[in-house]
């Protein structure tokens, strides 16, 4: 007689539990968790119109939706002064266009940030706004000013809606290894960096990882990208339980990975809902992406790692106190994200997350989770600590060398 754990009854109960979770989410958050908010005029939309009518001599400008290689070839054909002219005339286009030379994107985004700051400051005193509107305007102005500080390298910036951005630490053009951090819910311009709980925000995650990578192997030329360049779900609501936003974000992530300069190896570090996005993107990732690492994952919209159809190694970790373990790991009618990536049947390489202390602590300095991230970022596989008492997570990478344990 089959046990309860292997019987159809358990599957029925799991489906009922998932439905109950969805009903609670709908009752508490509504059909969508992206709530209306004040949105300034979409300057980028206007710049796209202006871009379509602009010319370099008699040459039309390329379609922004063209492949990155087409964009790269166009900008390579321009004189330096022509490139600068486009960056100054259309900074919100040039600064967000895969294939544009990285230094030119940095320059364009500084122009966009300065303009956004100048437009936002008066709104903080606008009598037509509510006190909440004034506070939001002040917070946005503070964020723009922070991103404009000398030395910051902003690879993407769009202030429309809740905003998107991406920041680079290190020399992206000459890096031999590039780490891309893909964050989860509640990621936007205002939450891109935090003072309290610093390492739970994308900018802090990147700072921590970049320092840890340099400490692990100072001889490796690395760069880290804090990639908040997609529209993330707001809160743990129905959008977080479905894949629509992950599908939209996956297009942008694949574009980034495909357009990075040089031939550096790339590792994706995908946290929480970011791991859903990485799972959706996996089949289309370029070969240069050698490793996909998920932490605190609700699922990757796949039953098994092999179903991701990627040549990259798939790694997973979860802290013992991470609440995500209590989320039903299944998919029903488009709701839910599939098998738990740390479940043995999924087939990921399991890493230790010792010291992470919950769902938001994976990038905290001094944790085994961060040490494992840094080791993967620089390719120091022998420094990895597997989740179990053996070196099973390193199987097939090299011989049975001793591995430090948590």
């Amino acid at each position: 007689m089959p046990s309860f754990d292997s019987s159809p009854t358990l599957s029925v109960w799991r489906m009922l539990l998932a439905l109950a979770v969805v009903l609670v989410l709908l009752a508490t958050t509504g059909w969508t968790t992206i709530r209306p908010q004040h949105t300034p005029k979409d300057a980028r939309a206007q710049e796209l119109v202006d871009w379509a009518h602009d010319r370099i001599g008699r040459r039309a400008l390329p379609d922004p939706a063209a492949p990155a290689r087409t964009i790269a070839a166009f900008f390579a054909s321009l004189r330096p002064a022509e490139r600068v002219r486009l960056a100054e005339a259309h900074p919100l286009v040039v600064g967000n266009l895969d294939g544009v030379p990285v230094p030119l994107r940095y320059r364009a985004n500084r122009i966009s940030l300065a303009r956004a700051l100048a437009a936002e400051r008066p709104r903080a005193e606008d009598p037509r706004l509510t006190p909440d509107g004034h506070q939001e305007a002040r917070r946005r102005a503070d964020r723009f000013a922070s991103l404009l500080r000398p030395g910051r390298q902003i690879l993407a910036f769009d202030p429309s809606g809740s905003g998107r951005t991406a920041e680079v630490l290190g020399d992206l053009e000459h890096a031999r290894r590039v780490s891309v951090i893909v964050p989860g819910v509640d990621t936007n311009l205002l939450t891109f960096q935090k003072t309290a709980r610093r390492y739970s925000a994308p900018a802090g995650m990147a700072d921590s990882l970049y320092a840890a990578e340099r400490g692990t192997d100072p001889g490796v030329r690395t760069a880290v990208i804090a990639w908040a360049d997609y529209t993330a779900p707001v809160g743990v609501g129905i959008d977080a339980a479905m894949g629509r936003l992950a599908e939209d974000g996956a297009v942008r992530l694949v574009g980034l990975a495909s357009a990075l300069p040089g031939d550096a190896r790339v590792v994706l570090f995908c946290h929480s809902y970011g791991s859903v996005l990485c799972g959706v993107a996996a089949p289309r990732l370029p070969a240069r992406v050698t490793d996909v690492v998920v932490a605190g994952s609700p699922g990757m919209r796949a039953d098994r790692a092999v179903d991701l159809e990627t040549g990259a190694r798939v790694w997973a970790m979860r802290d013992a106190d991470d609440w995500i373990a209590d989320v039903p790991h299944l998919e029903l009618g488009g709701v839910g994200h599939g098998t738990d990536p740390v479940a043995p049947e999924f087939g990921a390489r399991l890493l230790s997350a010792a010291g992470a202390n919950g769902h938001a602590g994976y990038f905290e300095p001094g944790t085994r989770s961060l040490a494992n991230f840094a080791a993967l970022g620089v390719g120091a596989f022998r420094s990895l600590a597997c989740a179990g008492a053996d070196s099973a997570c390193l199987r097939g990478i090299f011989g049975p060398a001793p591995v430090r344990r948590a």
Side-chain angles (χ1 to χ4, degrees):
M1 184 175 181
S3 69
F4 182 74
D5 286 346
S6 62
S7 70
T9 304
L10 180 59
S11 297
V12 172
W13 278 107
R14 283 176 173 164
M15 286 191 291
L16 290 174
L17 178 59
L19 286 172
V21 170
V22 172
L23 289 173
V24 170
L25 293 174
L26 293 176
T28 57
T29 66
W31 282 101
T32 175
T33 58
I34 299 183
R35 300 176 178 84
Q37 55 185 302
H38 177 83
T39 302
K41 181 181 178 181
D42 190 343
R44 186 166 187 267
Q46 182 58 52
E47 281 194 18
L48 286 168
V49 173
D50 296 340
W51 174 273
H53 291 90
D54 202 354
R55 296 287 187 275
I56 290 291
R58 296 183 179 181
R59 299 168 62 192
L61 306 186
D63 185 345
R69 62 180 177 275
T70 301
I71 302 296
F74 173 80
F75 275 85
S77 72
L78 301 179
R79 296 190 298 272
E82 292 172 329
R83 297 179 190 175
V84 171
R85 201 273 286 177
L86 289 180
E88 292 177 345
H90 315 284
L92 283 170
V93 178
V94 174
N96 293 282
L97 202 52
D98 290 329
V100 170
V102 167
L104 191 64
R105 289 183 67 169
Y106 295 159
R107 179 170 185 159
N109 286 322
R110 291 194 67 81
I111 294 171
S112 294
L113 278 162
R115 292 178 181 177
L117 177 60
E120 200 68 40
R121 278 177 169 159
R123 293 183 63 245
E125 307 298 331
D126 190 334
R128 295 170 296 177
L129 296 184
T130 65
D132 286 345
H134 291 151
Q135 182 180 23
E136 180 190 354
R138 285 192 292 270
R139 291 181 65 199
R140 285 171 64 90
D142 287 346
R143 176 62 65 246
F144 300 156
S146 176
L147 293 174
L148 268 169
R149 288 175 184 164
R152 299 194 75 166
Q153 301 176 135
I154 307 304
L155 187 66
F157 171 70
D158 184 351
S160 60
S162 59
R164 298 193 299 257
T165 193
E167 182 176 14
V168 175
L169 302 181
D171 185 350
L172 185 59
E173 288 188 290
H174 300 102
R176 300 306 305 152
R177 290 184 172 272
V178 176
S179 298
V180 181
I181 296 172
V182 184
V185 299
D186 291 329
T187 295
N188 55 52
L189 269 174
L190 294 183
T191 62
F192 182 70
Q193 62 189 58
K194 300 177 182 178
T195 301
R197 300 174 67 242
R198 175 186 175 193
Y199 301 112
S200 67
M205 293 176 178
D207 286 340
S208 183
L209 180 58
Y210 186 53
E213 287 183 350
R214 288 180 294 170
T216 299
D217 191 341
V220 176
R221 297 201 303 273
T222 65
V224 175
I225 302 175
W227 189 78
D229 194 23
Y230 81 104
T231 301
V234 177
V236 187
I238 192 63
D239 277 328
M242 301 186 74
R244 179 179 62 86
L245 295 179
E247 291 165 3
D248 294 343
V251 174
R252 304 179 71 85
L253 180 61
V254 171
L256 169 82
S258 302
L260 290 172
D263 57 358
R265 295 185 177 185
V266 179
V267 182
L268 304 182
F269 296 93
C270 316
H271 177 243
S272 193
Y273 188 83
S275 66
V276 182
L277 191 160
C278 288
V280 175
R284 292 168 282 164
L285 292 172
R288 70 191 306 179
V289 178
T290 58
D291 299 271
V292 176
V293 192
V294 301
S297 174
M300 301 183 74
R301 301 194 76 77
D303 292 330
R304 300 173 302 163
V306 69
D307 296 333
L308 295 173
E309 299 180 359
T310 177
R313 290 175 288 260
V314 180
W315 308 78
M317 67 168 66
R318 186 172 67 217
D319 180 67
D321 296 323
D322 191 335
W323 59 261
I324 205 76
D326 297 324
V327 172
H329 284 87
L330 45 80
E331 187 277 330
L332 180 64
V335 178
H337 304 304
T339 305
D340 186 348
V342 302
E345 61 267 25
F346 187 77
R349 299 171 183 269
L350 302 184
L351 292 165
S352 171
N357 191 25
H359 188 64
Y362 292 96
F363 289 84
E364 287 281 347
T367 58
R368 172 51 61 189
S369 52
L370 178 63
N372 276 332
F373 290 162
L376 284 170
V378 300
F381 293 99
R382 293 182 186 275
S383 297
L384 292 170
C386 298
D390 55 29
S391 58
C393 72
L394 298 178
R395 192 168 295 139
I397 296 177
F398 44 63
V403 180
R404 293 204 309 269
R405 303 187 181 99

